Amino acid sequence: MLRIQDVVLYHIRMPLQHPFVTSTGGRQERDALIVELRTEDGLEGWGECVAGLEPRYSEETVYTAWAVMERILIPLLFAQDWAHPSDFPKAAAWVRGHPMAKAGIEMALWDLYGKQQNRSLMTLLGGVRNRVPVGVSIGIQESPQALVERVAHFVAQGYRRIKIKIRPGRDVDDVAAVRQAFPDIPLQVDANAAYDLETARKRLKALDEFNLLLIEQPLAYDDLWDHRALQQELQTPLCLDESIRHRRAARQALEMGACRIINIKQGRVGGLTEATAIHDVAMAHGAPVWCGGMLETGIGRAANLALASLPNFTLPGDISATERYYAEDITEEVFTLNPDGTMNVPRGPGLGVHVRRDRLARVTLHARRWTRGEVTHG
Ligand code: OSB
Ligand code: MG
């Protein structure tokens, strides 16, 4: 049993190595919440809540996640002892929405549980490989020429597949330029919901000739039905990201043919328990999945690598080397790309990473501690 004694939340802001521009806007820094749990017997667990500064990718932000954690989820953590991390999403099932807030806390419980059992997250989740193939997600650049240079940089480093961000007007020409320069590289695109159905019909059919692995989330962030219509008209497989928030949406999307592939992000779906369930649903449908990314620190990156070691993660994930995101991470561990385009899954207990408190302090904007017995329900 895990009995939580202390909870600390940190609102962090980390400078990115390069601005990351998508159809929803550009960012030079990344905000997130770090969750620290301490048990009665002195175990330490860490989690990362991937909500951002503004509600662009989803409704959640660091501010909504902080509020829901403070008023609802932290009191819930103190209200019972925890036999297993998957008991937390069950206890929090009455809380509608707020998946990233829930996932940040669940991740810290997985880390604690792994340390208590002396087992890695990979082992706990049922992972089947020690290294996973990875790709890189490249934001919209100044011009197609600039994009080709950026792609060349990452191909030279050994990344196994390239994902480029698109939006209406920066789609066909960008893809054509990259394809011409790299005729054989596994290539996919991500629109982050920037198209309506009519524009998608007009512009995305032209992508069929470029042999893309997939087109990610062209239509609205909460849509399934129009993706189904679009998929019927395209040869290229559609992959859903934003629209898949839980296992029921995954099942329905695959049943109706709204996509053929799913991007799984533990934060978007409420935690590693739900992420694993979506993996299982897709596997039963014969649909491949891959691990998405939210520009995580070493904490969330370790969790993503463990998740991506499950058997149906057969496409390379958006899990890149630390240096691609940050000059200095908050974990002692630095993640690097192997020469064969894979990354190693951490093997230590829990997440298998060590947080550098000095570095965490330097990127913290605001922190607060809650202690058992001093917290009343919100
Ligand atoms: O849509 O996959 C996305 C980052 C922030 C928000 C949404 C997305 C992304 C990425 C980053 O593509 C992938 C990564 O972490 O390398
Ligand atoms: Mg995406």
Side-chain angles (χ1 to χ4, degrees), residues 2-225:
L2 297 165
R3 170 168 291 218
I4 306 303
Q5 182 64 31
D6 283 293
V7 182
V8 188
L9 282 187
Y10 305 83
H11 174 184
I12 63 165
R13 179 168 295 166
M14 308 238 306
L16 287 165
Q17 292 276 60
H18 290 273
F20 191 73
V21 180
T22 74
S23 63
T24 73
R27 301 234 308 270
Q28 188 56 257
E29 295 164 316
R30 175 178 180 267
D31 283 50
L33 299 182
I34 300 299
V35 181
E36 179 187 0
L37 301 182
R38 185 173 290 275
T39 62
E40 222 175 28
D41 36 13
L43 280 177
E44 213 178 79
W46 295 90
E48 177 168 351
C49 166
V50 298
L53 182 63
E54 295 176 319
R56 293 186 187 269
Y57 171 80
S58 77
E59 299 92 331
E60 284 183 279
T61 71
V62 283
Y63 304 107
T64 68
W66 186 290
V68 166
M69 287 184 188
E70 173 171 15
R71 308 285 298 195
I72 312 280
L73 301 178
I74 292 171
L76 199 61
L77 264 181
F78 287 127
Q80 67 173 85
D81 295 343
W82 303 93
H84 192 269
S86 63
D87 294 334
F88 184 74
K90 281 184 209 146
W94 63 272
V95 180
R96 292 192 180 177
H98 305 287
M100 292 174 180
K102 293 170 179 169
I105 290 185
E106 195 193 312
M107 190 189 295
L109 281 173
W110 281 102
D111 191 30
L112 275 181
Y113 183 71
K115 287 169 177 164
Q116 184 198 50
Q117 304 288 316
N118 197 27
R119 295 173 76 195
S120 69
L121 182 60
M122 170 186 156
T123 318
L124 294 173
L125 294 177
V128 295
R129 46 189 155 247
N130 299 327
R131 11 174 71 199
V132 297
V134 298
V136 65
S137 172
I138 303 177
I140 297 171
Q141 307 293 312
E142 286 278 294
S143 64
Q145 292 67 39
L147 174 62
V148 169
E149 278 169 37
R150 197 93 182 103
V151 171
H153 169 78
F154 289 114
V155 170
Q157 292 186 352
Y159 284 101
R160 283 225 186 157
R161 72 92 172 108
I162 298 294
K163 158 170 150 182
I164 65 173
K165 295 288 186 178
I166 60 167
R167 62 171 171 76
R170 288 301 301 277
D171 38 30
V172 184
D173 293 348
D174 281 55
V175 171
V178 173
R179 204 20 120 210
Q180 194 185 2
F182 299 95
D184 300 319
I185 188 86
L187 181 64
Q188 61 194 55
V189 297
D190 186 1
N192 288 106
Y195 294 77
D196 57 39
L197 185 55
E198 277 324 297
T199 316
R201 280 184 164 128
K202 279 194 207 112
R203 300 197 65 92
L204 300 182
K205 266 182 212 168
L207 296 185
D208 272 342
E209 67 176 275
F210 295 107
N211 187 30
L212 300 180
L213 285 171
L214 57 91
I215 299 173
E216 183 176 344
Q217 195 74 37
L219 307 178
Y221 73 96
D222 56 355
D223 174 80
L224 294 180
W225 190 252

